[in-house]
Amino acid sequence: MEDPCLSTQLIDGDGVFNVSGLESFMKEVKLAECGLSYAVVSIMGPQSSGKSTLLNHLFRTNFREMDAFRGRSQTTKGIWMAKAQNIEPCTLVMDLEGTDGRERGEDDTAFEKQSALFALAVSDIVLINMWCHDIGREQAANKPLLKTVFQVSLLNTQWGVSVLRHYYALIFLLSVQVMMRLFSPRKTTMLFVIRDKSKTPLENLEPILREDIQKIWDGVPKPHAHKDTPLSEFFNVQVVALNSYEEKEELFREQVSNLRDRFQQSIAPGGLAGDRRGVVPASGFSFSSQQFWKVIKENKDLDLPAHKVMVATVRCEEIGYEKVATFTADEEWQQFEEAVQSDYVPGFGKKISSLLDRCLSEYDMEAIYFDEGVRTSKRHQLESKLLQLVNPAYQSLLGHLRTRTLEAFKESFDKAVEKEGFAVAARDSTQIFLEKFDKGSEDATIQQVNWDPSKVKDKLKRDIEAHVVSVRATKLSELCATYEGKLTKALAEPVEALLDSASEDTWPAIRKLLQRETKAAVSGLESAISTFELDEATEKELLLRLENHGRSVVESKAREEAARILIRMKDRFSTLFSRDADSMPRVWTGKEDIKAITKTARSASMKLLSTMAAIRLEEDGDNIDTTLSLALVDAARPGTTDRSIQSLDPLASSSWERVPEERTLISPVQCKSLWRQFKAETEYTVTQAIAAQEANKRNNNWLPPPWALAAMAVLGFNEFMTLLRNPFYLAVMFVVFLVGKAIWVQLDIANEFRNGFLPALLSLSTKFVPTIMNILKRLADEGAAPAAPERQRETELQPRNNSSNSNVTSAGSSSLTSSENGPEYSSPVAQ
């Protein structure tokens, strides 16, 4: 069976503390016997928000509840206290008078702050009753009293939250400032009870509420010792939501029952007030409560301002909010706001200034009868808010003005560069378009504020300068590329031709060519870049880069030719060895001096190697030619007796004397290797020439030796005389000669023996019988021809005889010519 509920009025509506009532209450509930094992719970919130109803269902108390059928009015006056039923440990429940009651009106709101501060000082758990629909609203059930309480509690300190949101939580938190200064800080649990929960999940409501609480805490001025103390050091914030008691009573009772279970053993570790601090023993609760209330009543920080100031504050703020809403909803403003998002709007400043003047004038007319100081202050706030609304549009307008000016500058500048010098065009165009920006920003100026467009103008300057620099770099790059291309074209082919000729005058000619063409290119580039008005260092750098480009072209060509040096050497050797001074193919008749020709050709090839061994763009002397001559040509002479040359190889080195490494194309060791390879690959050509010369000598020598001729003359004298005495022998010998000559020509014996004796015999043996048979067949055909008519036969035979005689004669002539001059042999290279 439950004990009867015990309750008493702790503080009446006039702020008088009921000492005797509290003493009697403590005796009845035997509070003194509890020691430290007791808890104090209080509830605060707006009037008629169901505080007493919640406490009665939650703790089974008997606080007076509002009769909804009789209208909404004040039910609880002052502060009432009761003992919770069947809750362990002993739990005292305080029901505070609702805030924002019409019964007290606007002139007597100090009690609201005093009661909130008292509840904060004595309670372990404070329930903050609030409506669900107030969460997230900028002006949640706010009244003039709340704003003035806020101003006084902060002691005229500026605070970042412009408009109060949850007034019942706010009164409580703003009292923290005074509490921290008047009393020793203690750990209190704040349980926010969200009433008449909507469909919005608690998980979405709780973060918004906690964020508002944190903002209020951050804005409350604190003692220096607690300047950086977090909210969790003093308060344990928890949130719970309940459905509507009137619409869902059963669900409400079930939720309250679940919440009631959380108050069992509330001071135990892990309970709602498990981490409380600064607990007063139960026997001293009455005395400490009296002292708390006394200090709170005597504290002047809770005094309120005058009634006219409160009214002016609230009303001027309301007018300000109305004007902001009116300005925001103004169709003309919305058109301007939308227009400036896409492009620059001419006349923006005058039109917006007119709208602001109209809005502020309306405020002045409506607030003219309120306190002047408050009216002026709120006017400034209104003007500031309006300007905050206008500022994004103004900044967007300046952005579009900057973009438009920049694009126009680019287009105009590109055209001006073609007509004027680059530097002149850059200066004039920059000045013109910066002046245009100034005119545009002046047109956008709003009379009510002096916004400085210099940052946007500075950005425009930087953008213009960046574009000028970009165009300058592009133009200079194009000019440099053009003159580099011209210089490359002027040097590449002439240098290649000079290197191919490879004489002593090659590098002097190249130096002269390089100097002449580079000078012409540098002069042209210098004239072209004069309109850019570059600084001296930059101009020198560009000209030097062009000069270096010319040198790099020559060096590149030299390295290309050096990579093909072996082919060039063999080509030069073949040209000089296989052709005579008239560039005609050389015929090796046996009279040529092959050794001298070979030496001359190799010397020319060695000269080519010497020329390509190093880059000689400076007039520094070197001994590459002498070194190669001594090491490659003179050392090969059989008669060389200089032991210093034989004992010391001048090419046994990786660098040339007096030639830097970066100018070396072919090192001495590489020259030696190339020369060895060159000699090996040209040796065959020389051998072939010598063989052709020997073959020519053999083919031209058909007569027997002189001693054989003398023997034949002595021994054949009688036979010779016999032939002279008998002409028939001469005729027979003449016929034999003709037949032999025909066989000689048909078998081409002279040409066959050029391939060697044995191959000639084999070839002639295979062709001899067919040739004889062919001759006999032709003779038989001649004899078998018809005898009549005689004239026709003579006519037919005449051409054939002439042809035969011509062939024989031609063959004989060819044979004679061949025997007189001998067969001619051309060089295999020339062929």
Side-chain angles (χ1 to χ4, degrees), residues 341-358:
Q341 299 303 320
S342 58
D343 198 2
Y344 176 78
V345 179
F348 176 85
K350 292 182 179 180
K351 295 176 182 178
I352 296 300
S353 298
S354 176
L355 292 176
L356 292 175
D357 279 339
R358 184 176 65 188

Side-chain angles (χ1 to χ4, degrees), residues 534-561:
L534 301 175
D535 57 271
E536 185 177 356
T538 304
E539 185 173 347
K540 285 184 178 180
E541 181 183 357
L542 293 176
L543 298 180
L544 180 61
R545 187 188 306 170
L546 182 59
E547 293 178 1
N548 292 336
H549 176 75
R551 294 177 63 90
S552 67
V553 170
V554 174
E555 293 177 0
S556 175
K557 279 297 176 183
R559 295 185 189 279
E560 289 178 9
E561 293 299 317

Side-chain angles (χ1 to χ4, degrees), residues 102 179 183 193 227 246 266 289 340 413 451 495 514 660 665 754 762 797:
R102 65 181 178 82
M179 186 273 295
F183 316 119
V193 181
K227 184 177 181 180
E246 296 179 354
S266 60
S289 298
V340 296
F413 177 65
W451 282 331
V495 168
L514 175 62
L665 297 176
R754 288 181 181 177
L762 294 175
L797 291 177

